[in-house]
Amino acid sequence: MATHNVFLDPAGTSPFGLAVIVLAPTGVTYEHQCEGLMTSTRAAEGFLVPVPSNDYDPEANEAFDVEGALLGFFHKEFRGNPPPLEEWRQGQVESLAQVVSRVPFWSTPTGSAPSELLHLSLDLDRIAEATEAWVPVTTPYGPGILVFQNCD
């Protein structure tokens, strides 16, 4: 299979919202700048799924800004310098998991089964990979990486 590389927002000037790289053997590798001010680049093979930046909160009868909450979490907790996971303070993983659980993700099965609105979950088996703009998640299609604008 031919391999193709796609760099998401290579100039860092065109934020694209939220997206998930669902890990799969597609021959397409997505690269993304992440890790706050350290500005490392990571890559994953799979297919890209844009996801909504807002989630409807029925209790408050309003939209919840998921993208803003993710950006706010990394800014407030790490100020552009996310450390390795073993240096995260108690409660930070739980806080990130709570925000990730608000990211809407449509499951679109084949055949006559209806589409279903679900939500992502933080993949705790791969939590060591987590950093700003690169968060391991579980999707209806399997493991993935939630990507968003890096703070640099």
Side-chain angles (χ1 to χ4, degrees):
M1 178 181 292
T3 301
H4 302 282
N5 292 322
V6 177
F7 199 111
L8 302 172
D9 189 22
T13 58
S14 301
F16 53 83
L18 301 176
V20 175
I21 305 167
V22 177
L23 306 180
T26 62
V28 178
T29 299
Y30 294 92
E31 295 181 57
H32 184 58
Q33 185 183 34
C34 59
E35 211 167 358
L37 297 173
M38 294 173 61
T39 61
S40 68
T41 300
R42 295 189 185 177
E45 181 181 8
F47 56 93
L48 190 71
V49 179
V51 293
S53 294
N54 292 304
D55 185 30
Y56 179 71
D57 183 348
E59 291 180 19
N61 193 28
E62 64 186 17
F64 175 75
D65 180 7
V66 180
E67 183 178 12
L70 281 165
L71 296 170
F73 168 81
F74 281 97
H75 175 73
K76 176 184 169 208
E77 298 295 333
F78 306 119
R79 305 223 187 322
N81 294 298
L85 181 67
E86 58 269 9
E87 296 177 26
W88 287 31
R89 290 188 320 275
Q90 184 174 356
Q92 288 176 319
V93 171
E94 292 82 5
S95 294
L96 179 59
Q98 186 176 26
V99 175
V100 168
S101 74
R102 297 298 306 269
V103 178
F105 192 99
W106 282 94
S107 172
T108 310
T110 58
S112 61
S115 295
E116 181 179 10
L117 177 60
L118 303 171
H119 289 82
L120 299 177
S121 60
L122 186 62
D123 189 338
L124 296 175
D125 291 335
R126 298 176 18 247
I127 190 63
E129 299 174 29
T131 191
E132 182 175 329
W134 188 273
V135 177
V137 295
T138 302
T139 78
Y141 303 114
I145 305 293
L146 176 63
V147 293
F148 48 92
Q149 182 180 10
N150 193 44
C151 77
D152 75 324

